[in-house]
Amino acid sequence: MSKYHIAQLNIATLLAPIDSPQLSDFVANLDRINALADEAPGFVWRLQTEDGDATSIDYFGSDKIVNLSLWDSIEALHKYVYRSAHVEIMRRKKEWFDKMGEAYMVLWWVPADHIPSIEEAAQKLNILREHGPTTEAFTFKKPFPVSAGRPA
């Protein structure tokens, strides 16, 4: 078992309120897609409220939704995001989410016994936005191995 996990933050700007008819299909699929993640090989943890999702967490603003999770490897996360039923939802993102003008997804390494806070995740996103991919905050397109980004 690895001593490190890959953390990921993904935010999206809603085109309408979460309880609107425009987002009803997205909301209707949340439980299914979250369960798919929970059961995916390599899944460790995800941020959620008592409702089982994170749609009511408005740290980035009331018009944004957030996904924060931990995985045992970049490969496991990549497989879930791009090679599972999750892809069906990603294909429809233009129906529900506004195009972001800056980075909205970030990856970073954390010790296996650490659960990142939303504040930590926001700091990592800001590092990526300010400096581009580094060992401290990176993307699928420019990943860094755990040895390069090992937390102190």
Side-chain angles (χ1 to χ4, degrees), residues 60-100:
F60 293 95
S62 60
D63 65 334
K64 306 241 183 331
I65 59 170
V66 61
N67 177 282
L68 175 59
S69 63
L70 292 175
W71 296 78
D72 67 9
S73 68
I74 294 174
E75 295 77 19
L77 172 58
H78 190 274
K79 186 174 182 180
Y80 166 73
V81 172
Y82 297 108
R83 295 197 176 107
S84 74
H86 179 263
V87 163
E88 301 165 14
I89 298 303
M90 287 183 48
R91 286 188 185 122
R92 297 183 62 194
K93 66 185 178 185
K94 290 180 182 176
E95 295 176 40
W96 306 311
F97 309 120
D98 201 5
K99 185 173 174 110
M100 300 284 283

Side-chain angles (χ1 to χ4, degrees), residues 9 11 15 17 38 50 54 78 85 87 108 110 113 132 143 146:
L9 170 72
I11 61 173
L15 287 173
D38 293 348
E50 290 179 9
H78 190 274
V87 163
W108 72 101
V110 297
D113 62 351
V146 69

